[in-house]
Amino acid sequence: MTVDQASPVFRARRISKVYRMGEVDVSALRGVDLDLFAGELAVFLGASGSGKSTLLNILGGLDVPTDGQVYYRERELTAADERERTDFRRKSVGFVFQFYNLIPSLTALENVELVTEIADDPMPAIDALRLVELEPRMHHFPAQMSGGEQQRVAIARAIAKRPEVLLCDEPTGALDYATGKRVLEVIEKVNSTLGTTTAVITHNAAIADMADRVIRLRSGEIVEVYANPTKKRPDELSW
Amino acid sequence: MTILNRKVFRELARMRGQVIAITLVMACGIMVYVSSRHTYIALLESQESYYTSYRFADVFAGIKRAPAPVAERIARIPGVSSVRTRIVMDVNLDVPGLDEPAIGRLVSMPDVRRPVLNDIAIQEGRYPAVGRPEEVIISEAFALANGLVPDAWIGAVINGRRKALRVVGIGLSPEYVYEVQGSGSIFPDNLRFGVIWMSRDALGAAFDMEGGFNDLAVALSPDARERDVIDRMDLILEPYGSAGAFGRGSQISHKFLSDEILGLSVSSNVTPTIFLGIAAILLHIVFSRMVRAQRDQIAIMKAFGYRNLSIGWHYLKFAFLAVSGGTLLGIVGGFWIGRPLTGMYQAYYRFPDLVYELHVDVITLAAVISVFAALAGTLHALRSAMALPPAEAMRPESPPHFRPLAMERMGLHRMLSPVWRMIFRNMERRPARTMLSAFGIAMSVAILVMGRFTFDSIDYMIDYQFRTVQRDNAAVVFAGPRPARARFELAHLPGVVRSEPYRAVPVRLRAGHLVKQTAITGLDPAGELRQLIDRDGRVQSLPPEGIVLNKTLADLLAVREGDMLAVEVQEGSRMRGSLPVTLIVDELIGTTAYMDSRALNRFLGEGRTISGAYLSVDPLRAAELYSTLKETPAVAGVAVREAVIKGFEDTIAESTNATTFTLTIFACVIACGMVYNGARIALAERNREMASLRVLGFTEREISVVLLGEQAIITLFSIPIGFLIGWALCYLAVDATAQELFRMPLVITWKTYAFAFLVVTSAAVASAYIVHRKLRYLDLVGVLKTQE
């Protein structure tokens, strides 16, 4: 998959985010500038509280910055209202979270169909499950699946609408070593076969080795951005 | 305050929406209990003290005429403690300001006032003076309806002579707490029927009954057996034209009042039970959820060494506090609305003083009941809180386990979108909760149906009886049997469009050991003003031979078409014979028997004789006709149909509105409580799901379908069940109130169903909207960062 440096999918300019926690203001992001390019797999590294999740939530239209602008293509997300942000999430973004967030009352297939129903040009739900190699388990409910399987369903659900970007927040955080790697393989496969711009948040530095680009955050600021010329396959990673 | 108590108060404050819902349902239940119980006691005590103070008799008998010594023979019957002989006569009245004639029941009183059975409670004015035959006391309801005050004059046709009577007092009697003329009339018509008490000498002279009497009231000693006394009285009175003695149980006013009190006693237990049951269901749902959500807190408390009992007590305090507000509100509110409720009964039942006072035992019982409701509602949640092992409780509740359920087995899920599958699976996963919620909402529907049923039924009864069966505008009763040509005199009166004579004769009908005192009405076979309608609703023509019974009478005598009935005529020749039952007709009021008038004349061995006529009247000339009838000595009474119905409908409209208003509020409280709590809990439990859906790009509107769709389905599913429960409760009510005087038809109009549907869906939509607004504040980010 080629990375098109000329056309950023996301452009974030001087974004900051201040949370009010009780009577104290906490700065989660302090004037961050960032571009994400079409087709790249970017890994955001940082310790807990570094602001990486906040950044991802803002890019995904889940949250709005206190200050600064975020553009998705030509559209200014920071000027969008709640309805437009919902529409943006519905059409353009796929999310994967640490705790899967599947709907317990729906089977694997149905969890995916939940999204394909409201998307404009989805892939068949069964294809998405095939991509994450869960076709044989598609009629199982979340409670009947392992954590790794649930996370793969979450990925299938995220990509089934053919989103332009896939945002993964600690996708392996709740998984053991082997299962975690299996999930990373699926993410890598989505990125390389579908060309989905992918951002993965992690505090696990080893995962950075599978990225096209690594963005390191600390205390709400980007402290380092570097390209990774020696991209590894997930099965080559170890931690 | 201990820390745990502080926790109780803070959490109650946090759950205030749900606590308010429980409080209100509880308050409704306690309010209904306290108010109806207080009203019940007020009526019962007023009845007892009234009967005692004014010496209400135990046994009554009406006769043609008996000489005074007969009374002494009655007094010697073992068990009789005192006897009062009277002259009682219904006469036509001319009341100032009233177009149509009224009927006055003249009742003789001792010339000099002394305590007697069925005494008068004088409310205003005085007792008639000795030697003043024109002075009378009139009944209060009649006086109020006609605006009559002491010193007013009314005209009366007494034994064919017109007399002017001067009102000197307004009174009440235990004999006429419910003031109706007789078994044919079941609704009080205070404008056109009143009781007039006048001097015995004056009445005796007017009706040629000096030294005689035509009515008896008897008091029994405490050890007397009513049945034995009645049998011996009947033996003595037989030769004097007795229509048969009867006990209090058959005395019309007493029967209505006692039935009312009994009904109130039943409903004062049934209705609150429904409300308190629903309050318990709400508590159960809310507390089960709370204990599940607080598993980790329970675990920590146990880990710190709190004993199971203190944890149970902690949660029980929640329940007690949650119901205490409702109980207090219900007690205060119930006592407060009980007074006007008791007052409402005064429109129908008249007491000299209706005592409404606070009954501590009722209040105490109300409090005890609410404690039981609280215990019943929280028992399950308490047990699970206490049984939770600390280590188990520290772990999050195991994820909800969904399996393919009935829906999948039937293949129905393929027809549904994922969103609706979520909704149905959630309902299927907690069947008990779904059923309890549905039951609660169904009960609110049933309460509405039941509340309006009474009025549907009475409406139908009036329409059926007074517009379908009895189609005359007025019925004229002659002072005694008259030759058939009298009908032509009537037909020529102004405004009479049609007149159909009838012959009525008092009889005793006997089938085996079953005996019934009633009258046979001989109808004109070509007549149109009385319709005979069979049990299938078809109009039947009058059979030329034999006797026609209405269903109530046929049931009382246990006879069917084709059976033979023994007939004992109670007037004139007092002949006996037997007649075949040729038709059974459906009527809702009274116990009536009909015959072809010619067949009846033949059976009585008389020529063409009539007792009165049914009239169809030109409304424009009605006033003229009625004033002519008032002046006609041969006419003993005129019953004006539409006026009676109108008067009654007005009276009943008042209580309809009050009852419907109250029940609507109560049903709304239940429906709102159920839907609000259901949706609120769904939101708390499925917060995470809702947030996930929002993240996936679902709009607020779309996720509110997921959240509220369940409540919508439960509500829509409950409504027809509510209709069924309502219907069943009405069926039981009809069964319980079926009596000789009238039969309430089981009629529920579509308007009632539509009304219940609208009220309950509106309440559901309103409470769902409150919860829907909370979806706006869903914390998408926070929810997804935490493990469930």
Side-chain angles (χ1 to χ4, degrees):
Chain A
M1 187 72 211
T2 54
V3 175
D4 184 356
Q5 293 269 353
S7 58
V9 177
F10 282 110
R11 279 183 296 135
R13 293 296 174 262
R14 292 183 308 285
I15 54 171
S16 50
K17 177 75 186 179
V18 180
Y19 289 112
R20 197 161 176 85
M21 305 279 278
E23 312 213 334
V24 226
D25 287 340
V26 177
S27 280
L29 290 176
R30 305 159 193 267
V32 167
D33 286 325
L34 174 76
D35 288 332
L36 272 187
F37 301 106
E40 74 170 332
L41 195 161
V43 168
F44 290 69
L45 268 182
S48 159
S50 59
K52 52 190 195 305
S53 289
T54 307
L55 181 57
L56 195 82
N57 290 339
I58 289 172
L59 293 181
L62 277 181
D63 207 349
V64 282
T66 318
D67 214 352
Q69 280 91 41
V70 177
Y71 293 88
Y72 170 76
R73 299 291 188 190
E74 299 313 313
R75 197 157 141 203
E76 189 188 344
L77 282 185
T78 32
D81 63 14
E82 171 57 35
R83 216 170 52 81
E84 290 166 327
R85 277 186 282 121
T86 300
D87 191 56
F88 165 64
R89 292 200 300 269
R90 189 172 187 137
K91 293 193 168 123
S92 312
V93 194
F95 282 100
V96 175
F97 294 95
Q98 182 178 1
F99 297 113
Y100 337 129
N101 293 85
L102 296 181
I103 307 299
S105 57
L106 296 180
T107 62
L109 182 65
E110 289 166 349
N111 261 284
V112 180
E113 283 174 343
L114 188 66
V115 171
T116 57
E117 259 199 354
I118 59 165
D120 287 339
D121 175 31
M123 64 175 79
I126 204 154
D127 289 358
L129 284 171
R130 199 171 289 138
L131 201 70
V132 298
E133 290 160 37
L134 272 179
E135 198 191 346
R137 311 272 286 157
M138 67 182 183
H139 293 306
H140 286 71
F141 284 94
Q144 297 167 314
M145 289 189 283
S146 72
E149 286 173 331
Q150 289 189 52
Q151 190 61 299
R152 276 149 62 201
V153 175
I155 294 170
R157 184 176 67 175
I159 57 157
K161 66 171 105 160
R162 305 183 201 275
E164 199 160 0
V165 288
L166 177 64
L167 303 178
C168 311
D169 192 350
E170 297 278 10
T172 59
L175 302 173
D176 61 49
Y177 179 72
T179 324
K181 278 175 70 165
R182 186 92 179 73
V183 166
L184 290 175
E185 276 171 25
V186 171
I187 291 173
E188 197 273 336
K189 186 174 169 188
V190 167
N191 174 254
S192 58
T193 59
L194 301 179
T196 312
T197 307
T198 306
V200 176
I201 282 181
T202 182
H203 60 272
N204 183 348
I207 293 176
D209 288 345
M210 65 181 275
D212 292 309
R213 233 160 33 110
V214 179
I215 296 128
R216 192 183 288 277
L217 286 101
R218 185 187 302 138
S219 307
E221 291 173 332
I222 294 181
V223 291
E224 187 186 9
V225 179
Y226 64 90
N228 175 20
T230 54
K231 222 176 129 175
K232 286 184 181 169
R233 290 198 313 276
D235 61 352
E236 297 168 333
L237 303 179
S238 63
W239 62 85
Chain B
M1 190 188 293
T2 67
I3 297 296
L4 273 189
N5 284 344
R6 234 179 268 176
K7 174 175 179 293
V8 170
F9 281 110
R10 283 189 195 145
E11 283 172 3
L12 278 177
R14 195 174 53 78
M15 294 167 55
R16 60 189 169 276
Q18 284 157 285
V19 172
I20 288 171
I22 295 169
T23 300
L24 290 180
V25 174
M26 198 76 200
C28 287
I30 296 292
M31 205 181 287
V32 175
Y33 178 75
V34 170
S35 61
S36 54
R37 213 66 210 163
H38 271 91
T39 303
Y40 163 72
I41 295 174
L43 287 181
L44 192 67
E45 286 185 347
S46 303
Q47 181 194 33
E48 275 168 8
S49 80
Y50 189 16
Y51 282 6
T52 312
S53 311
Y54 292 89
R55 292 165 294 278
F56 185 45
D58 297 302
V59 176
F60 309 80
I63 46 189
K64 195 90 187 151
R65 185 184 196 285
V70 173
E72 283 155 35
R73 287 170 60 199
I74 301 276
R76 283 197 298 270
I77 296 174
V80 170
S81 68
S82 63
V83 176
R84 179 184 166 205
T85 62
R86 304 186 297 181
I87 300 164
V88 177
M89 283 287 179
D90 283 0
V91 300
N92 230 349
L93 295 180
D94 179 6
V95 179
L98 188 67
D99 282 347
E100 58 274 23
I103 291 168
R105 173 154 304 165
L106 305 182
V107 177
S108 68
M109 291 301 288
D111 291 344
V112 180
R113 188 167 198 197
R114 58 183 168 83
V116 286
L117 291 179
N118 300 338
D119 216 339
I120 322 175
I122 296 178
Q123 301 297 293
E124 209 186 323
R126 59 172 174 81
Y127 199 78
V130 179
R132 292 287 195 146
E134 77 281 9
E135 291 189 353
V136 295
I137 296 174
I138 61 173
S139 57
E140 189 183 60
F142 181 63
L144 285 174
N146 285 293
L148 297 172
V149 289
D151 275 340
W153 288 82
I154 42 180
V157 181
I158 298 176
N159 207 12
R161 282 186 295 272
R162 207 186 133 79
K163 290 212 168 131
L165 302 176
R166 180 173 170 233
V167 178
V168 295
I170 311 277
L172 292 170
S173 157
E175 210 180 352
Y176 294 100
V177 180
Y178 188 76
E179 199 171 315
V180 290
Q181 190 187 359
S183 59
S185 49
I186 61 166
F187 308 129
D189 176 18
N190 300 133
L191 210 52
R192 294 169 205 84
F193 175 75
V195 182
I196 296 174
W197 291 277
M198 60 190 285
S199 121
R200 168 131 196 172
D201 277 359
L203 257 183
F207 288 102
D208 308 322
M209 276 220 211
E210 290 104 336
F213 62 92
N214 72 349
D215 188 273
L216 270 174
V218 169
L220 302 181
S221 52
D223 56 341
R225 287 191 51 203
E226 186 188 280
R227 191 65 251 169
D228 296 347
V229 174
I230 288 175
D231 287 345
R232 301 185 76 153
M233 277 174 72
D234 280 348
L235 278 177
I236 296 172
L237 295 173
E238 172 84 63
Y240 304 100
S242 167
F246 54 91
R248 271 189 192 179
S250 302
Q251 203 267 344
I252 289 184
S253 163
H254 175 80
K255 196 163 164 47
F256 269 98
L257 178 59
S258 302
D259 283 351
E260 187 75 54
I261 293 175
L262 184 69
L264 193 57
S265 157
V266 172
S267 71
S268 72
N269 289 321
V270 173
T271 321
T273 307
I274 295 176
F275 279 99
L276 295 173
I278 288 167
I281 288 175
L282 274 180
L283 275 171
H284 168 79
I285 293 175
V286 169
F287 275 78
S288 300
R289 157 69 196 161
M290 183 163 105
V291 165
R292 270 205 314 280
Q294 298 197 348
R295 286 164 60 89
D296 52 339
Q297 303 179 23
I298 295 168
I300 285 174
M301 287 193 278
K302 288 191 180 178
F304 288 168
Y306 278 94
R307 275 186 297 274
N308 282 338
L309 268 183
S310 29
I311 289 178
W313 175 230
H314 170 66
Y315 284 101
L316 200 55
K317 273 190 276 191
F318 270 101
F320 285 154
L321 281 173
V323 299
S324 61
T327 309
L328 205 64
L329 196 67
I331 288 173
V332 174
F335 183 68
W336 183 67
I337 66 164
R339 196 184 293 272
L341 182 69
T342 308
M344 260 167 52
Y345 283 92
Q346 262 180 310
Y348 309 97
Y349 302 97
R350 302 231 150 235
F351 293 94
D353 41 9
L354 206 48
V355 193
Y356 186 80
E357 51 193 23
L358 188 74
H359 290 273
V360 179
D361 51 340
V362 173
I363 306 288
T364 314
L365 197 56
V368 171
I369 292 168
S370 78
V371 166
F372 271 100
L375 279 174
T378 46
L379 202 63
H380 173 80
L382 284 183
R383 275 178 41 193
S384 52
M386 287 164 66
L388 212 57
E392 172 81 12
M394 289 294 251
R395 283 194 285 278
E397 195 183 10
S398 48
H401 197 73
F402 284 90
R403 289 165 288 109
L405 297 162
M407 192 172 70
E408 280 78 10
R409 285 200 294 277
M410 292 187 281
L412 292 178
H413 65 293
R414 277 191 280 279
M415 293 155 64
L416 299 169
S417 71
V419 163
W420 285 98
R421 283 183 217 173
M422 287 169 70
I423 293 170
F424 278 106
R425 286 193 189 135
N426 262 300
M427 289 165 57
E428 263 191 298
R429 193 166 60 93
R430 295 199 190 282
R433 188 205 281 175
T434 305
M435 288 301 149
L436 286 176
S437 302
F439 177 73
I441 297 170
M443 285 318 288
S444 70
V445 174
I447 284 174
L448 285 170
V449 170
M450 222 168 81
R452 288 185 57 103
F453 154 71
T454 319
F455 308 108
D456 279 353
S457 180
I458 288 175
D459 243 21
Y460 178 86
M461 182 156 79
I462 289 174
D463 198 65
Y464 183 84
Q465 192 69 28
F466 294 131
R467 297 198 179 107
T468 307
V469 174
Q470 308 180 4
R471 299 148 66 95
D472 53 300
N473 302 115
V476 172
V477 188
F478 296 138
R482 317 235 338 139
R485 63 178 142 59
R487 71 175 292 192
F488 300 111
E489 288 157 26
L490 278 178
H492 286 107
L493 291 178
V496 175
V497 177
R498 185 182 177 89
S499 89
E500 293 176 6
Y502 67 86
R503 173 75 171 105
V505 56
V507 291
R508 190 178 283 175
L509 300 177
R510 203 182 283 275
H513 65 287
L514 296 167
V515 187
K516 191 67 199 124
Q517 187 76 40
T518 181
I520 297 176
T521 305
L523 298 176
D524 179 353
E528 289 173 2
L529 298 178
R530 270 289 188 286
Q531 286 212 87
L532 301 181
I533 296 180
D534 69 12
R535 279 167 294 183
D536 301 320
R538 286 182 308 234
V539 177
Q540 291 285 353
S541 53
L542 185 65
E545 296 298 332
I547 188 167
V548 176
L549 304 182
N550 77 6
K551 189 178 172 302
T552 316
L553 184 55
D555 288 348
L556 284 168
L557 292 167
V559 290
R560 287 179 303 181
E561 282 166 21
D563 290 352
M564 290 301 285
L565 266 185
V567 180
E568 300 165 12
V569 177
Q570 305 285 304
E571 69 164 41
S573 60
R574 306 188 70 75
M575 62 151 312
R576 294 171 181 220
S578 66
L579 287 166
V581 178
T582 43
L583 181 67
I584 289 173
V585 293
D586 197 28
E587 285 183 344
L588 300 169
I589 297 174
T591 49
T592 341
Y594 299 102
M595 281 178 79
D596 182 321
S597 58
R598 291 163 307 186
L600 180 59
N601 288 149
R602 272 199 306 278
F603 180 74
L604 295 171
E606 62 185 17
R608 300 281 290 131
T609 306
I610 61 178
S611 313
Y614 303 123
L615 304 181
S616 176
V617 179
D618 173 2
L620 295 175
R621 303 188 66 191
E624 199 185 333
L625 170 67
Y626 297 144
S627 74
T628 312
L629 287 174
K630 277 195 279 195
E631 311 284 331
T632 311
V635 171
V638 180
V640 181
R641 192 83 53 220
E642 279 305 319
V644 175
I645 301 170
K646 177 80 175 61
F648 185 70
E649 280 177 343
D650 288 349
T651 320
I652 211 160
E654 250 171 70
S655 49
T656 313
N657 292 341
T659 317
T660 307
F661 178 72
T662 320
L663 285 171
T664 304
I665 290 187
F666 285 2
C668 281
V669 165
I670 296 181
C672 285
M674 293 314 293
V675 173
Y676 176 80
N677 268 307
R680 198 74 187 75
I681 286 172
L683 177 62
E685 283 179 350
R686 301 166 64 191
N687 204 352
R688 190 179 176 80
E689 241 175 75
M690 298 299 125
S692 303
L693 291 173
R694 290 284 285 130
V695 168
L696 292 174
F698 279 74
T699 59
E700 245 170 55
R701 186 189 293 258
E702 285 165 336
I703 61 166
S704 75
V705 169
V706 177
L707 184 71
L708 302 173
E710 188 177 327
Q711 302 307 318
I713 291 174
I714 292 177
T715 306
L716 292 177
F717 167 76
S718 316
I719 288 174
I721 295 179
F723 288 163
L724 274 178
I725 298 178
W727 186 89
L729 290 173
C730 295
Y731 179 87
L732 292 178
V734 165
D735 213 41
T737 56
Q739 46 167 310
E740 266 184 64
L741 299 169
F742 64 95
R743 231 166 7 103
M744 276 182 81
L746 182 55
V747 173
I748 304 173
T749 62
W750 67 268
K751 282 185 198 159
T752 291
Y753 288 126
F755 176 76
F757 176 86
L758 278 180
V759 169
V760 170
T761 43
S762 312
V765 166
S767 19
Y769 179 71
I770 298 173
V771 178
H772 165 82
R773 282 179 35 177
K774 291 187 188 292
L775 286 176
R776 208 164 291 169
Y777 308 107
L778 212 56
D779 178 8
L780 303 194
V781 177
V783 152
L784 297 174
K785 287 303 282 182
T786 51
Q787 184 146 19
E788 224 168 339

